[in-house]
Amino acid sequence: MSHLHRFYVPPETCLESDLALPQPEAHHALHVARVRVSETIVLFDGQGRECLGHVARVARREVIVTVDEVRMHAAQSKRVTLVQAWLNREKSVESLIRRCTELGVTEFRFFRSAHSERAPVLNEKWPRIAIEACKQCGRFWLPRFGTADDFAEALRDVPSVCLIAVKADDAAPLCEVLADAPDAVAIAVGPEGDFSEDELQVGRDCGARAISLGDATYRSETAAASMATLVLYELGELGPRGPCVT
């Protein structure tokens, strides 16, 4: 089958047999994808539902789709929560969300670190960025977003396996920490300037394990994407994993 264009529709409309694409998606369909009547396309609702349908009608600002088949996809078996210190540049936050959504991060928790200039505020652009990332990579579930006033609050109710990206000589090999293949893992990444000593102690008090990315100094969003990649690989979400070598 040739490439099929993918479009997002809200869950409450995905059950209809004939539906109109939301305005941002209709604009993309008309002016970027340039869909035509009778063309087969794919719809997804971010909650696991995928619809195979065809374009029934197009107008200047409207695309009507007839749903021909509905499929359900289970949520990702291994959940990864990114506990991310707030970054000072909104573009960096957006880049982080885009990359980590494509990789398979299932939840983002932004918190104000001791080295953050301001507190995080939920942004209506974030879900849209996640939608575009899911359209790009073919995922069917959108991540969740939340904010916290500090690191301690951000770590409440996180999975029992929590990893902190640090430069530490005593950092444990990742494959050993994840040897039991837990169903849920939290990754904590600091801001520009890294975690404060008090925040590192908060992490230790919560049972977090130190994981090193080597001697290089990374941008925070690079560290987050690197940690997500390594963890998801070890959990088997990025293909078969190899043996643990320590």
Side-chain angles (χ1 to χ4, degrees), residues 15-195:
L15 296 174
E16 301 172 7
S17 57
D18 292 280
L19 55 89
L21 293 184
Q23 190 54 49
E25 296 297 281
H27 182 273
H28 182 84
L30 291 169
H31 302 291
V32 180
R34 298 185 182 279
V35 299
R36 297 289 184 264
V37 172
S38 78
E39 181 176 343
T40 300
I41 63 174
V42 176
L43 310 176
F44 75 103
D45 70 350
Q47 299 296 315
R49 184 176 286 105
E50 175 191 32
C51 301
L52 195 66
H54 66 273
V55 178
R57 186 172 76 252
V58 297
R60 184 177 178 183
R61 296 183 178 180
E62 185 180 59
V63 177
I64 303 299
V65 179
T66 296
V67 175
D68 301 313
E69 181 182 352
V70 178
R71 306 166 183 165
M72 287 300 300
H73 297 267
Q76 187 172 296
S77 61
K78 305 294 185 180
R79 294 178 290 109
V80 174
T81 298
L82 176 60
V83 181
Q84 173 67 51
W86 185 244
L87 306 178
N88 296 326
R89 295 176 63 249
E90 186 66 35
K91 291 295 184 182
S92 297
V93 176
E94 294 175 3
S95 174
L96 180 151
I97 291 172
R98 184 176 296 106
R99 295 176 187 177
C100 291
T101 297
E102 289 185 12
L103 288 167
V105 169
T106 53
E107 181 180 355
F108 295 85
R109 293 189 190 183
F110 294 101
F111 69 94
R112 183 169 190 170
S113 169
H115 295 149
S116 299
E117 293 182 358
R118 55 190 175 89
V121 178
L122 287 173
N123 191 319
E124 62 182 12
K125 292 173 61 177
W126 296 350
R128 187 69 220 170
I129 293 169
I131 287 170
E132 293 301 323
C134 287
K135 288 167 63 175
Q136 166 67 36
C137 67
R139 296 193 179 278
F140 298 100
W141 288 80
L142 291 172
R144 296 185 297 170
F145 296 96
T147 60
D149 291 333
D150 54 34
F151 192 33
E153 181 183 340
L155 290 179
R156 290 176 189 165
D157 303 321
V158 296
S160 58
V161 177
C162 182
L163 313 175
I164 299 183
V166 296
K167 284 186 176 181
D169 295 333
D170 59 346
L174 183 60
C175 61
E176 288 186 3
V177 177
L178 301 179
D180 294 333
D183 291 333
V185 176
I187 304 169
V189 178
E192 296 92 345
D194 212 345
F195 289 106

Side-chain angles (χ1 to χ4, degrees), residues 210-233:
I211 297 296
S212 175
L213 291 175
D215 295 330
T217 299
Y218 301 102
R219 296 177 66 93
S220 186
E221 60 268 34
T222 302
S226 299
M227 282 286 288
T229 301
L230 292 170
V231 168
L232 286 159
Y233 171 76

